[in-house]
Amino acid sequence: MPAVSGLIRVMERAARKAGARLRRDFGEVEQLQVSRKGPADFVSRADRQAERTLWDELRAARPGWGFVLEEGGVIEGEPTLPRWIIDPLDGTSNFLHGIPHFAISIAVQERALDGKGADGSGWGDVTAGLVYQPITDESFWAEKAGGAWLQDARLRVSGRRHLSDALIATGIPFHGHGDLEEWSRVFAAIGPQVAGIRRFGSAALDLAWVAAGRFDGFWESDLRPWDSAAGCLLVREAGGFVTDYRGRSQPICAAQVLAANDPLHSRLHKLLAGALRD
């Protein structure tokens, strides 16, 4: 049994409370009041209510911490304290179409020790992450140097070493999002080499499933920190590697994400880099 910290318990309690509401709304998806934010990017009443629930629960548990919210933007906290990075509903399109594949993602990011951080933002490592899938009641969580877990079962990335055996997840660009030409070049390089490619529509769950060994790898670009912050930590704590397309390992890989175990990451990175050079 893992030693579950107070911080993880706070995160899981908040996620489960927001998740219970999402399950109720998912059962009545036809009645949801939906507003349009932009091209192919929808936000529902359920999304906003889930974010508010998470905000209320986490703010009460950790007063003074900042927030990075998908809907609410950046809310500064006290200058020495960490911040929450939250996606209340990753897989919104699935949710609105009645497809039971979506998740809540919560991560904790610390202040950079040098005051600058790798990207000059002043923020450093992600030290805790949780991805909760309300429909299956699965809670994937990790703390830095503490391993990755599904409930109380330890997670490890898959042990597959050959691309021909590997099942790879990705996100496909859609209207107003991503670079379809770039993605097509990468797909053309990777697709013929692997056992299969899946596009399920939730980057947070894709990364959690890499950590759990369900997927052997994952690539996507044009993500946001709330899409990937918790998932990146899960993969790393499960023994995997997460980098951008140039092979750089950032605290949060968002604009470009490549995740897999050690041998597959190396092979996928070679294919991906070659496709983008050509």
Side-chain angles (χ1 to χ4, degrees):
M1 291 284 291
V4 183
S5 71
L7 180 59
I8 293 295
R9 292 188 188 281
V10 163
M11 296 163 69
E12 184 159 20
R13 184 167 59 247
R16 288 185 178 277
K17 186 170 183 178
R21 190 160 199 161
L22 286 177
R23 279 195 300 272
R24 290 196 300 271
D25 283 336
F26 184 71
E28 301 176 0
V29 68
E30 295 84 2
Q31 282 74 48
L32 287 178
Q33 300 298 313
V34 181
S35 61
R36 186 164 183 169
K37 295 193 297 188
D41 192 5
F42 298 91
V43 58
S44 69
R45 176 174 54 87
D47 196 341
R48 294 192 298 271
Q49 289 176 339
E51 184 169 279
R52 182 68 197 196
T53 298
L54 295 168
W55 155 268
D56 288 341
E57 290 289 314
L58 297 174
R59 183 180 57 170
R62 294 293 188 273
W65 285 29
F67 285 82
V68 179
L69 301 163
E70 183 190 18
E71 302 300 329
V74 176
I75 300 172
E76 298 292 346
E78 295 181 16
T80 60
L81 295 180
R83 67 181 181 179
W84 303 102
I85 302 176
I86 296 171
D87 190 341
L89 179 52
D90 185 56
T92 306
S93 294
N94 286 344
F95 186 91
L96 293 177
H97 285 82
I99 299 170
H101 189 80
F102 53 87
I104 294 167
S105 177
I106 307 172
V108 175
Q109 188 176 26
E110 303 288 338
R111 298 278 181 177
L113 294 177
D114 62 3
K116 297 180 180 179
D119 58 1
S121 68
W123 291 98
D125 288 343
V126 173
T127 54
L130 182 143
V131 175
Y132 178 63
Q133 189 171 13
I135 299 301
T136 60
D137 194 33
E138 291 179 304
S139 181
F140 303 85
W141 60 273
E143 288 190 277
K144 188 177 180 182
W149 304 81
L150 171 53
Q151 264 84 307
D152 59 356
R154 186 70 179 261
L155 296 180
R156 297 294 298 177
V157 294
S158 85
R160 294 184 180 89
R161 303 180 62 85
H162 302 292
L163 288 174
S164 58
D165 298 326
L167 186 64
I168 307 298
T170 188
I172 301 174
F174 55 97
H175 183 60
H177 290 265
D179 185 335
L180 184 58
E181 181 182 355
E182 176 192 85
W183 183 88
S184 298
R185 290 162 64 187
V186 175
F187 176 82
I190 292 177
Q193 305 297 321
V194 300
I197 291 179
R198 299 290 183 268
R199 199 280 189 186
F200 283 0
S202 170
L205 275 176
D206 286 343
L207 288 163
W209 285 16
V210 172
R214 299 176 185 178
F215 288 140
D216 300 298
F218 170 78
W219 94 87
E220 188 170 354
S221 60
D222 199 40
L223 294 174
R224 299 293 181 265
W226 48 80
D227 296 318
S228 62
C232 287
L233 181 66
L234 281 164
V235 174
R236 287 167 173 149
E237 288 298 317
F241 289 83
V242 185
T243 69
D244 64 14
Y245 290 178
R246 297 176 65 182
R248 299 173 300 187
S249 181
Q250 306 288 344
I252 299 174
C253 290
Q256 299 173 338
V257 181
L258 178 64
N261 65 26
D262 186 8
L264 290 182
H265 187 283
S266 177
R267 292 175 174 85
L268 288 168
H269 181 253
K270 185 176 180 180
L271 291 171
L272 188 153
L276 297 183
R277 272 198 309 270
D278 294 340

